[in-house]
Amino acid sequence: MTVIPRPAIRVALLALLAFGLGGCGPVYYNPNLVDQSESKARLAQDTTLCTNEANAQIPPTYGRDRFETDPTIEAQATRWVANVAEDDANQDVFATCMQARGWVLKKKQ
């Protein structure tokens, strides 16, 4: 029998909730590209490039490094804030890279 740690269950539930409330995430378009196939190819290429750039500047943590072993509320809150700050900084680098390549976020309807 596999035992799933409680923090992992909480993170999974929070992720499902965030995806459910957040929709599909940001949608980028490039007003300079008219051809749909060219636009899709460039988006995939630029997304990969910008993800690599963001991960190089702000290396994301994975797995157990995202959890705090100290069970106190203060320690858990501190770890959560640090994770959010890291994720936001990584996303900022990604968004700046995409904008530099001519991509714009499509506004939600």
Side-chain angles (χ1 to χ4, degrees):
M1 181 171 141
T2 304
V3 178
I4 301 173
R6 282 194 169 173
I9 293 171
R10 289 182 188 151
V11 169
L13 290 174
L14 286 173
L16 287 173
L17 179 65
F19 285 127
L21 295 176
C24 296
V27 177
Y28 283 97
Y29 74 96
N30 192 328
N32 301 321
L33 299 175
V34 178
D35 183 24
Q36 283 283 11
S37 60
E38 180 187 356
S39 180
K40 282 184 179 182
R42 281 271 308 278
L43 178 61
Q45 183 181 33
D46 288 347
T47 299
T48 300
L49 186 107
C50 289
T51 299
N52 292 339
E53 183 177 320
N55 290 346
Q57 287 187 32
I58 313 290
T61 54
Y62 297 104
R64 293 189 181 270
D65 291 338
R66 298 217 28 120
F67 298 103
E68 179 59 51
T69 56
D70 183 349
T72 63
I73 292 173
E74 294 82 8
Q76 294 293 325
T78 301
R79 171 56 65 187
W80 183 80
V81 169
N83 289 339
V84 169
E86 175 189 288
D87 294 344
D88 286 350
N90 185 283
Q91 184 59 37
D92 287 346
V93 173
F94 176 82
T96 301
C97 176
M98 290 295 281
Q99 287 176 345
R101 294 184 165 1
W103 296 97
V104 180
L105 274 176
K106 187 181 284 187
K107 297 194 188 230
K108 292 186 177 185
Q109 303 285 335

